[in-house]
Amino acid sequence: MSSLPVSPTGGPIVSSHLSAEPSVQVRSLNYCFGRGELRKQVLYDISLDLFGGHIVIMTGPSGSGKTTLLTLIGALRSVHEGSLRVMGKELVGLGSRQLVDIRRNIGFIFQSHNLFESLTACQNVEMAVELTGQLQNKRQQAIAMLEKVGLGDRVDYKPQALSGGQKQRVAIARALVNQPRLILADEPTAALDKKSGRDVVTLLQNLAREGNCTILMVTHDNRILDVADRIINLVDGRLESDESLQHFVATHDPKTLDRRMFIL
Amino acid sequence: MHRTPLALLNLIHDRKKFLTSLAGVAFAVLLMFLFNGFKNALYDSQTQLLEKFNAEIVIINRLKENMFVPRAFARRRLYQAKAFAGVEEAFAVYTSEARWKNAATKQTLPVRVIAYNPAEPVLPTADILAHQAALKLPNTALIDTRARAEVGPRETGMITELADREIRIVGTFSLGTDFAAGNGNLLMSDQNFLRYFAFRGPEEVERSFATVDLGLLKVAPGTDVPRLVKTLSDNLPQDILVLSKDGPDGFVMRERKYWEENTNIGFVFSLLTAMGFVVGIILVYQILYTDVADHWSEYATLKAMGYDNLFLFTVVMQEAIILSVFGFIPGLLVSGLFYNLAAGTTGLVFQMTLERVVSIYIMTFVMCLVSGAIAVRKVQATDPAEVFGL
């Protein structure tokens, strides 16, 4: 497979950062679950580059290995085969302690907000700031971030008093407050209604542009595909297609639409 | 600025649950205090009378292994002892079991009578000294207000029967019961003691001033008590035992040791205290485990964000310590109430000494730490990768 982000289907990859070092560089990555008899390979020979300022959406049917790939890039599992460089650091062969250090520079957004009910919106965000050791102005930083996600007037509310969309925005503030260059999102809109989901992705899109960070998002939600700069399709652990949004729209005309894309 | 107090906030977030948790810890604390309290009360009570005796050296019959054994010794040993240099005074104390009639129910039950010459300061407590003159009248006694409720009314001026003779209560004092005292203590003059116990009938032991149950020696100031005890032991006949009152080999400790070593009280109550401890571990473990299980995905998210296991360990341990502190305080207060209640009904001494409070707190603290250490394994085993795809 090519080392450059050229789509296997020939779609042009539009990027203004081609010259810059990719924030994520995956080469010939294989991954298996289990050992011995139960060993099951879930990812086959993945090669991929992700660049700053891009929103990359990863789609694919259930069990195709999307989440596994996301957790590998997120330094949540150890990689054994191939090469995986995240923000210039090779993850293959790192111990769990070093993986923790890598994770501190990545923003995670989950399907559920995973906020502590006992903490206010601000305190939840502060938990992330505390990782950097900046205890003096952690509240100011958290408030500034909450204002960016449009929750300046909900700073001292507990999650109980916030709507689903607001909670997810607090979770986004928590993921972004330390200005990570890489954000991994796992179905961030799945638990939200159409409007809140749209608000959340628009917010992510703006923040990615502004902070020049890479967003890798796994989603089944076809309503939000339009925010993507690139769409990667994973089927049975293999990279099926990697194309720009324009190309994706052209090839996925509703009449010729590959139904597999939308098996939820 | 400090770190967000996650442990505290998680605990107090649900007020009702927090109060229930504290009640659980307080209950375990109460169990430990009660069982430990009963154990100590039984031991402490055995020596409360002995500690009040105004003496440095005590002489008893060699066969009087504990206060229960009704063995007296010859009074002349006291006079012999008085001849030694350093011994200033020798007091004779007489004790006897006697049947007492409850003035209200007319039931008879055994009490202990303690007698001595009221002119001598044998038990120089304020309440006893106040009635010294009245004790000199015939057929009078003082009654212990902390005697068990079964002895009936304990008031000055009441008239009832002791050993089938009329007796008038001319005052009260406060002491409490022990195993040898039966239901309570009466205090009377040695003259009255003779009136009641000299000729009680053919089946009873006749008492006279010739034999003494306890001999108390007051020594001159600056006397080397252990050396004097040794001199007395070596020079007096071997039918008596000379002991210093205090100290590790003293009379008071000997009595306490007898009950500690010859009964199962200690074992039984230590076992019960240990059970309270185990109950506490299980309760606190349940509380902490529920907290961890309820916030599993939040803790996993923290791990994904870059918090390490040590941080999560600290959070759970902080929760354990907070529970131990805030559960201990109500436990201590309720235990104090129970101690007063139990002391009132049993006449035993329930002492809440600083040392005992501290030792129970240490047990509570260890209890919470052990629970925390078990519960924390759940968080530490959390694989942050599993939060994805949930």
Side-chain angles (χ1 to χ4, degrees):
Chain A
M1 207 167 261
S2 160
S3 65
L4 283 170
V6 171
S7 153
T9 49
I13 299 299
V14 182
S15 172
S16 54
H17 301 277
L18 265 179
S19 53
E21 194 193 359
S23 36
V24 177
Q25 192 178 50
V26 187
R27 289 291 173 276
S28 324
L29 178 74
N30 290 306
Y31 190 78
C32 306
F33 280 122
R35 284 167 179 276
E37 296 272 308
L38 296 170
R39 189 176 161 92
K40 185 176 179 297
Q41 190 159 4
V42 287
L43 291 176
Y44 298 88
D45 194 30
I46 308 280
S47 291
L48 191 64
D49 285 295
L50 304 179
F51 293 92
H54 276 186
I55 295 188
V56 181
I57 285 183
M58 184 152 60
T59 64
S62 299
S64 59
K66 315 181 290 292
T67 303
T68 308
L69 182 57
L70 199 69
T71 55
L72 287 173
I73 295 172
L76 293 161
R77 299 181 197 278
S78 338
V79 196
H80 303 293
E81 269 187 76
S83 162
L84 174 56
R85 294 177 73 83
V86 174
M87 288 168 290
K89 285 208 183 86
E90 178 60 60
L91 298 196
V92 176
L94 287 191
S96 58
R97 187 159 289 278
Q98 292 147 307
L99 289 179
V100 170
D101 287 335
I102 302 279
R103 290 210 293 272
R104 294 192 177 180
N105 300 312
I106 300 174
F108 292 95
I109 300 164
F110 304 93
Q111 180 175 341
S112 53
H113 51 80
N114 295 342
L115 298 175
F116 279 99
E117 290 288 338
S118 57
L119 305 184
T120 62
C122 192
Q123 285 169 326
N124 267 297
V125 178
E126 285 173 35
M127 286 299 293
V129 184
E130 284 170 22
L131 275 170
T132 64
Q134 297 167 22
L135 298 183
Q136 294 78 29
N137 60 350
K138 59 172 184 170
R139 188 170 160 85
Q140 291 92 301
Q141 284 191 46
I143 291 175
M145 195 64 225
L146 284 169
E147 275 165 358
K148 269 194 199 169
V149 300
L151 290 173
D153 55 341
R154 294 283 188 276
V155 168
D156 291 318
Y157 282 50
K158 287 197 172 164
Q160 247 172 324
L162 298 173
S163 71
Q166 287 171 329
K167 282 189 251 196
Q168 195 59 294
R169 268 143 65 190
V170 176
I172 289 173
R174 176 171 66 178
L176 269 60
V177 70
N178 292 337
Q179 279 122 28
R181 282 180 49 215
L182 175 63
I183 292 164
L184 301 176
D186 185 33
E187 311 226 23
T189 61
L192 303 179
D193 59 63
K194 188 179 171 193
K195 184 176 179 306
S196 317
R198 168 54 58 185
D199 289 349
V200 162
V201 287
T202 314
L203 183 67
L204 275 176
Q205 192 176 27
N206 293 337
L207 294 169
R209 296 263 152 77
E210 198 181 309
N212 192 31
C213 66
T214 314
I215 299 182
L216 177 61
M217 195 183 330
V218 165
T219 188
H220 281 116
D221 189 352
N222 54 357
R223 299 172 305 202
I224 60 165
L225 292 180
D226 61 293
V227 299
D229 295 303
R230 252 168 91 190
I231 294 175
I232 297 169
N233 190 15
L234 215 59
V235 176
D236 293 336
R238 291 189 169 81
L239 213 53
E240 181 90 351
S241 65
D242 181 353
E243 51 207 344
S244 70
L245 180 66
Q246 293 89 333
H247 188 260
F248 180 85
V249 171
T251 53
H252 291 72
D253 188 83
K255 287 167 196 157
T256 59
L257 195 60
D258 181 352
R259 299 308 305 179
R260 281 181 309 177
M261 282 294 300
F262 305 110
I263 296 168
L264 297 183
Chain B
M1 283 295 273
H2 301 288
R3 288 187 173 274
T4 309
L6 183 61
L8 181 67
L9 292 172
N10 270 352
L11 274 180
I12 62 173
H13 174 60
D14 188 343
R15 293 282 153 79
K16 229 158 117 194
K17 212 170 115 192
F18 181 54
L19 291 179
T20 322
S21 307
L22 290 190
V25 177
F27 178 67
V29 170
L30 177 68
L31 283 184
M32 292 194 285
F33 260 121
L34 277 192
F35 294 135
N36 209 37
F38 275 115
K39 184 177 85 178
N40 287 321
L42 288 172
Y43 290 148
D44 292 346
S45 301
Q46 301 321 310
T47 60
Q48 55 180 337
L49 169 66
L50 312 189
E51 272 164 8
K52 285 202 174 78
F53 279 132
N54 178 27
E56 281 81 37
I57 296 173
V58 179
I59 298 179
I60 49 171
N61 187 311
R62 186 166 285 281
L63 297 174
K64 193 177 177 72
E65 210 181 339
N66 60 67
M67 289 295 286
F68 230 149
V69 180
R71 290 281 181 172
F73 65 92
R75 192 183 184 186
R76 62 178 175 278
R77 300 275 176 266
L78 274 186
Y79 295 122
Q80 288 166 342
K82 216 173 169 181
F84 284 81
V87 180
E88 294 224 308
E89 304 229 43
F91 309 138
V93 177
Y94 310 90
T95 64
S96 178
E97 285 275 298
R99 281 182 298 124
W100 159 270
K101 184 178 267 185
N102 180 328
T105 64
K106 309 298 176 199
Q107 275 185 318
T108 56
L109 66 170
V111 296
R112 179 173 61 190
V113 176
I114 304 161
Y116 55 86
N117 179 358
E120 292 169 342
V122 171
L123 286 169
T125 63
D127 47 358
I128 293 171
L129 290 176
H131 303 294
Q132 241 170 344
L135 275 181
K136 288 174 183 162
L137 299 172
N139 300 333
T140 58
L142 303 183
I143 190 164
D144 182 3
T145 49
R146 295 190 62 229
R148 297 182 62 217
E150 281 84 345
V151 305
R154 284 147 285 180
E155 293 148 9
T156 308
M158 53 177 260
I159 294 172
T160 180
E161 281 174 22
L162 179 75
D164 304 326
R165 272 175 78 113
E166 193 179 89
I167 189 159
R168 194 155 56 88
I169 299 301
V170 291
T172 60
F173 65 102
S174 174
L175 182 65
T177 60
D178 56 63
F179 290 148
N183 295 290
N185 290 296
L186 281 186
L187 209 65
M188 58 170 61
S189 68
D190 50 353
Q191 297 296 331
N192 276 322
F193 186 78
L194 273 191
R195 286 193 178 94
Y196 283 91
F197 301 106
F199 311 103
R200 265 203 293 179
E203 282 133 45
E204 304 278 353
V205 184
E206 289 189 3
R207 295 300 308 266
S208 72
F209 285 160
T211 58
V212 171
D213 291 274
L214 295 168
L216 308 181
L217 301 185
K218 283 295 288 176
V219 301
T223 308
D224 182 351
V225 174
R227 225 178 107 194
L228 182 55
V229 166
K230 176 123 184 27
T231 315
L232 289 169
S233 297
D234 291 347
N235 291 293
L236 289 174
Q238 292 303 300
D239 58 347
I240 56 162
L241 204 59
V242 183
L243 297 163
S244 63
K245 187 186 140 203
D246 303 312
D249 298 319
F251 177 57
V252 172
M253 271 315 285
R254 178 176 174 269
E255 182 74 13
R256 189 186 172 97
K257 265 188 201 147
Y258 174 82
W259 297 106
E260 281 179 359
E261 286 166 12
N262 292 282
T263 62
N264 288 328
I265 301 168
F267 175 74
V268 168
F269 284 103
S270 299
L271 189 71
L272 288 172
T273 309
M275 297 226 332
F277 182 76
V278 172
V279 165
I281 289 185
I282 296 168
L283 278 172
V284 177
Y285 169 73
Q286 280 292 331
I287 295 161
L288 294 177
Y289 182 84
T290 316
D291 174 65
V292 168
D294 286 353
H295 300 115
W296 182 83
S297 53
E298 286 95 317
Y299 282 124
T301 304
L302 287 186
K303 269 175 110 168
M305 280 158 60
Y307 279 101
D308 52 13
N309 272 336
L310 182 70
F311 174 81
L312 298 179
F313 180 79
T314 329
V315 169
V316 175
M317 283 307 174
Q318 278 172 354
E319 291 191 358
I321 292 167
I322 292 168
L323 283 176
S324 82
V325 174
F326 289 95
F328 182 77
I329 295 166
L332 175 69
L333 295 178
V334 175
S335 303
L337 281 178
F338 270 82
Y339 273 29
N340 278 338
L341 214 68
T345 50
T346 61
L348 299 172
V349 247
F350 281 83
Q351 283 176 315
M352 184 97 66
T353 62
L354 183 66
E355 186 196 338
R356 288 172 189 170
V357 171
V358 168
S359 75
I360 296 281
Y361 178 70
I362 291 171
M363 281 181 82
T364 312
F365 183 74
V366 171
M367 170 183 102
C368 289
L369 283 195
V370 170
S371 312
I374 308 173
V376 85
R377 295 189 312 179
K378 164 84 178 168
V379 208
Q380 301 209 317
T382 301
D383 181 358
E386 285 171 24
V387 209
F388 279 99
L390 278 184

